[in-house]
Amino acid sequence: MEKETITLTGVNETLLVPLYARALESRKQNHLFYDATAVRIIDSTNYDFAKHGKSLMNMWGCAARTVLFDEQAEAHIKAHPNCAVINLACGLDDRFRRVDNGKIHWYNVDLPDVMELRKKLIEDHARVTNITCSAFDYAWMDQIANKDHALILAEGFLMYVTEAEVKGLFDTVAEHFTHTTLLLEFMTKWMVDHQKMHDTTQKINVNFVWGIEKSDEFTTLCPQFQLMSEHNFTDGMKHFAPIRMTFMSLLMRSKNNRLACFEQI
């Protein structure tokens, strides 16, 4: 079978980094999660994925992030089994199949070239709706059938946009939804300022734009939401190299990305 060629560039190409990390973790004998879709895509496409795997820290961070997002998504779905879940800038993530309870309706939102590739590589499902548009084209909100207790995910996304875009997006979410829960990945300002050190910006022509030092800065920006919890990726990365990460954790914690959970007030 002829392999599909991937020609994504810029920010869209960054989605291939966590895809590869999920495949690498899934192929381990004692994997923390299994992502059959990621493994199949890696095996069926033409792209130099190995260039990203040279940075173990980046692969560990992406895997730890996957575990955290999956756990938090599953907790919300358990509490609200008929909810809608919206994955903004979804890339080639197939989290739906990892956390599905047989009832949720899942919405993927991303740009045309990403969605075109997604349609070729990921099988359709009756409870999954793919919406082809920018997250900042707020028309996607009109396609969500159940706007009460929705879960909105932003993974590997917000660091590439401006603070004004972040505020506009979630202010509009607050106007259209009720009792919404947000799972947001934040990058620190330190990493934005020192982005040349990051493997992704070294391998792909992209720039980090926005970061915050403390998760509650988001509640100042968007006061319709309250911070419920936050999880530093450093803790999850300790699983991959306990001794090494124990020594590095104090230094990394203040600089590493984190997952923050917010609920609409």
Side-chain angles (χ1 to χ4, degrees):
M1 181 181 295
E2 184 177 354
K3 291 188 174 184
E4 181 72 29
T5 298
I6 297 179
T7 58
L8 298 175
T9 59
V11 173
N12 286 343
E13 188 180 357
T14 64
L15 68 86
L16 301 173
V17 180
L19 176 72
Y20 189 49
R22 292 193 298 272
L24 289 180
E25 180 60 28
S26 298
R27 283 177 166 148
K28 294 178 181 178
Q29 184 174 1
N30 298 314
H31 47 257
L32 295 178
F33 57 85
Y34 189 78
D35 188 331
T37 300
V39 172
R40 180 171 48 77
I41 292 175
I42 296 300
D43 290 340
S44 63
T45 55
N46 280 320
Y47 179 81
D48 182 16
F49 288 101
K51 68 181 181 181
H52 300 301
K54 293 176 182 178
S55 172
L56 290 178
M57 297 292 283
N58 207 12
M59 295 295 98
W60 296 344
C62 288
R65 180 176 77 181
T66 298
V67 172
L68 282 170
F69 267 88
D70 283 2
E71 289 177 348
Q72 293 297 307
E74 286 177 328
H76 180 88
I77 291 167
K78 184 177 181 179
H80 308 285
N82 295 295
C83 70
V85 183
I86 303 101
N87 192 4
L88 300 178
C90 62
L92 294 177
D93 179 42
D94 198 19
R95 178 165 283 113
F96 167 77
R97 286 182 168 84
R98 297 198 302 273
V99 304
D100 180 34
N101 66 345
K103 298 179 180 180
I104 57 172
H105 198 123
W106 192 280
Y107 298 84
N108 293 308
V109 180
D110 215 322
L111 297 171
D113 53 348
V114 175
M115 280 304 192
E116 185 62 30
L117 188 59
R118 188 180 181 92
K119 289 176 183 177
K120 294 177 181 179
L121 298 175
I122 301 179
E123 185 179 357
D124 290 337
H125 191 283
R127 285 181 288 106
V128 175
T129 300
N130 292 323
I131 303 175
T132 304
C133 71
S134 165
F136 303 106
D137 177 358
Y138 302 150
W140 65 261
M141 299 182 193
D142 297 329
Q143 298 190 47
I144 312 303
N146 181 7
K147 294 184 174 66
D148 188 49
H149 290 294
L151 175 64
I152 298 180
L153 314 177
E155 177 184 5
F157 168 41
L158 299 181
M159 64 282 292
Y160 297 109
V161 303
T162 67
E163 182 172 274
E165 288 174 318
V166 173
K167 178 172 176 55
L169 173 59
F170 292 106
D171 280 352
T172 307
V173 164
E175 294 171 0
H176 284 73
F177 294 79
T178 55
H179 307 107
T180 315
T181 297
L182 309 177
L183 294 180
L184 310 180
E185 179 185 0
F186 292 139
M187 179 172 280
T188 62
K189 291 179 180 178
W190 185 93
M191 182 52 69
V192 173
D193 292 339
H194 297 81
Q195 59 185 276
K196 290 183 178 180
M197 299 172 57
H198 200 286
D199 187 71
T200 296
T201 59
Q202 292 178 18
K203 300 290 196 309
I204 302 174
N205 185 26
V206 293
N207 292 306
F208 299 141
V209 178
W210 182 68
I212 55 178
E213 296 305 329
K214 297 181 179 179
S215 297
D216 57 10
E217 292 176 37
F218 178 80
T219 63
T220 301
L221 187 67
C222 298
Q224 310 93 325
F225 298 93
Q226 60 182 338
L227 177 65
M228 304 304 295
S229 64
E230 62 179 349
H231 310 271
N232 195 292
F233 294 172
T234 305
D235 296 328
M237 292 170 68
K238 290 180 181 179
H239 172 85
F240 303 99
I243 297 176
R244 180 177 176 182
M245 291 303 301
T246 296
F247 284 108
M248 296 181 65
S249 61
L250 292 178
L251 176 64
M252 287 187 61
R253 179 172 293 278
S254 63
K255 299 173 175 59
N256 208 356
N257 290 19
R258 60 198 177 280
L259 165 62
C261 177
F262 299 88
E263 289 188 359
Q264 187 174 358
I265 299 173

